[in-house]
């Protein structure tokens, strides 16, 4: 079953204009409209949220809009620029989220996320990431995940606030209560249906098709079947001009797994030759299958480093073929390097006694494509005196930043995500605790070392101007070693609360 998301940008043209204006953009509460011509009349072509709240709507005469909204900002509409920017946004979605993404003019993007959502931790996590990234750029967005393009399109525009993920197989029921305008029908058909008393999609779906088709033509039934998932609707993916892509058409459809694997190897070999001619290596590959029933299936893999190893890439792609349903056969296959980077020369060992450098990129690629690249990471030092801020997550094969943890005091092998409060008995200001209680268990201290004083980062946070921590390494009677600290210097209340916390455990 296909899974499609529709991203609806309700105020796309006006949001784009605000971004273009940059610092000169009017405040968000100032109404903004874009105007154009319908015949000899100047009318509103797009309105932002503030303008909508003021009662302005698309199609309203400009003179009436200016009379209704005080301080109205009027700009000329640029449909060609809007379409071009929407295409660029679709290309961004293609590179980041899934192999099949396209513009859905005039105010949306459609993405086939089948086989790609798990790389982000599921559809919910993927939807949150999409919405957060687009909203961070100043563009309003609503997202809906459904089983078909028609259902996702309808839900994003008439139901999602701002995210809606419909369970597989439930899309047909989810759209029944939506208005008939959600079916992407021409305005004259929608108006004609309303004259007959139809308001919701469910009312339309319950009626016989014959009389409706006789009056309104085949478009009505086609759009209804597409929304209900009964009729396929292929997505023509956006393609950047610099994309490196190879393809293969078949005189007779193929469906056997062995045959698919063989042609995948041939496509990979051809793509690697094209990459080598440009001095590039693949970081992400998209393998797209076009079935004879007009449905499109896709496989996406990623690599930690740019590579063009034919055997390795073929193996990674073939591992994903089992997830693709060939249906009645595949008639066209394409393979594209959606992300490619320069691939430099690699120094080989120069003597028989020299040990080759271990290469774990293959293992990382295998794991990343199974569980999702975002779940694989390693820790790296950060230049910070505060222990919980001195580490960060980076990609498994990201280069070292040159930082290092302090070596004059040992650090625990296990650092707690956040310091946990403990009850301690200690002689202030410089003595370690003689005992402490952590998680309901009292521990008597047998040995201790410290204190190591850590100062707050006053240059980053004003609240830490005088803050200090005194850290101790303590060992209890059972031989277990802990890293604890007192918030403050033990004397001055301005340096901290003087409470005790456990921050780490030594192995």
């Amino acid at each position: 079953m296909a899974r499609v998301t529709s991203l609806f940008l309700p105020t796309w043209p006006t949001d784009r204009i605000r971004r273009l204006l940059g610092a000169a953009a009017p405040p968000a509460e100032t109404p903004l409209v874009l105007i154009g011509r319908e015949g000899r009349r100047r009318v509103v072509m797009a309105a932002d949220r503030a303008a909508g709240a003021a009662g302005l709507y698309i199609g309203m005469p400009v003179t009436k809009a200016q009379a209704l909204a005080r301080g109205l900002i009027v700009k000329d509409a640029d449909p060609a620029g809007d379409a071009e920017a929407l295409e660029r946004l679709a290309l961004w979605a293609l590179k980041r989220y899934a192999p099949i993404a396209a513009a859905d003019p005039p105010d949306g993007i459609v993405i086939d996320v089948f086989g790609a959502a798990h790389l982000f931790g599921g559809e919910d996590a993927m939807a949150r990431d999409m919405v957060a990234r687009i909203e961070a750029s100043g563009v309003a967005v609503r997202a809906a995940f459904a089983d078909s393009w028609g259902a996702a399109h309808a839900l994003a525009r008439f139901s999602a606030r701002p995210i809606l993920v419909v369970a597989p197989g439930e899309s047909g029921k989810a759209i029944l209560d939506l208005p008939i305008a959600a079916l992407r029908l021409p305005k004259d058909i929608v108006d004609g249906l309303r004259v007959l008393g139809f308001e919701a999609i469910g009312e339309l779906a319950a009626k016989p098709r014959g009389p409706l088709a006789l009056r309104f033509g085949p478009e009505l039934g086609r759009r209804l079947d597409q929304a209900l998932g009964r009729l396929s609707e292929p997505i023509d993916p956006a393609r950047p001009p610099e994309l490196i892509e190879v393809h293969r058409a078949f005189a007779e459809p193929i469906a056997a797994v062995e045959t698919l694997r063989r042609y995948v190897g041939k496509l990979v070999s051809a793509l690697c030759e094209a990459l080598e001619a440009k001095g590039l290596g693949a970081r992400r590959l998209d393998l797209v299958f076009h079935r004879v029933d007009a449905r499109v299936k896709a496989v996406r893999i990623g690599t930690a480093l740019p590579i063009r190893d034919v055997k390795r890439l073929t193996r990674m792609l073939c591992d994903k073929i089992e997830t693709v349903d060939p249906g009645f056969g595949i008639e066209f296959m394409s393979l594209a390097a959606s992300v490619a980077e320069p691939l430099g020369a690699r120094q080989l060992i120069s003597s028989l006694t020299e040990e080759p450098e271990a290469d774990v990129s293959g293992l990382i690629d295998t794991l990343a494509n199974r569980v999702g690249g975002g779940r694989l990471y390693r820790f790296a030092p950060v230049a910070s005196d505060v222990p919980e801020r001195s580490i960060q997550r980076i990609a498994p094969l990201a280069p070292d930043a040159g930082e290092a943890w302090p070596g004059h005091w040992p650090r625990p092998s296990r650092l707690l995500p956040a310091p946990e409060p403990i009850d301690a008995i200690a002689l202030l200001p410089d003595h370690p605790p003689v005992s402490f209680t952590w998680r309901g268990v009292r521990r008597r201290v047998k040995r201790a070392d410290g204190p190591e004083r850590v100062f707050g980062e006053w240059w980053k946070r004003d609240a830490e101007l005088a803050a200090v921590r005194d850290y101790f390494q303590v060992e209890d009677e059972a031989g277990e070693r802990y890293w604890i600290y007192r918030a403050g210097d033990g004397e001055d209340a301005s340096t901290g609360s003087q409470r005790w916390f456990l921050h780490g455990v030594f192995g």
Side-chain angles (χ1 to χ4, degrees), residues 402-466:
E403 302 290 344
W405 282 297
H408 53 284
W409 282 91
R411 290 290 183 261
S413 56
R414 178 190 171 199
L415 190 70
L416 301 184
E420 297 185 10
I422 58 176
D423 295 325
I425 300 175
L427 182 63
L428 299 181
D430 297 326
H431 291 267
V434 295
S435 67
F436 65 93
T437 302
W438 177 50
R439 296 181 178 178
V441 178
R442 185 183 179 188
R443 295 169 171 81
R444 186 175 297 276
V445 176
K446 186 176 181 181
R447 297 183 182 86
D449 191 10
E452 173 194 0
R453 178 155 293 181
V454 174
F455 292 89
E457 295 177 331
W458 52 266
W459 59 94
K460 295 181 180 178
R461 296 170 173 83
D462 293 338
E464 297 181 6
L465 185 63

Side-chain angles (χ1 to χ4, degrees), residues 62-70 72:
V62 175
T63 53
K64 184 178 180 179
Q66 291 174 323
L68 287 176
R70 184 185 300 273
L72 178 66

Side-chain angles (χ1 to χ4, degrees), residues 150-222:
H153 180 99
L155 292 167
R157 285 153 180 79
F158 293 90
S159 186
R161 295 290 187 275
I163 295 173
L164 177 63
V165 179
V166 180
E170 299 295 323
S171 299
K173 297 178 182 178
I175 66 171
L176 293 180
D177 294 330
L178 299 182
I180 56 177
L183 289 176
R184 297 176 292 167
L185 293 168
K187 186 176 184 302
D188 59 334
I189 295 182
V190 173
D191 292 340
L193 290 169
R194 285 175 175 165
V195 169
L196 295 178
F198 292 102
E199 294 294 338
I201 295 176
E203 299 171 357
L204 198 60
K207 296 297 180 181
R209 293 289 182 88
L212 293 173
L214 186 63
R215 178 161 184 169
F216 298 103
E219 180 73 3
L220 174 58
R222 184 173 69 89

Side-chain angles (χ1 to χ4, degrees), residues 100 152 259 279 364 386 402:
I100 301 176
T259 307
I364 291 173
V386 181

Side-chain angles (χ1 to χ4, degrees), residues 374 377-380 391-395:
Y377 57 86
R378 65 184 178 90
F379 290 111
I391 59 175
Q392 64 177 342
R393 292 182 179 183
I394 62 174

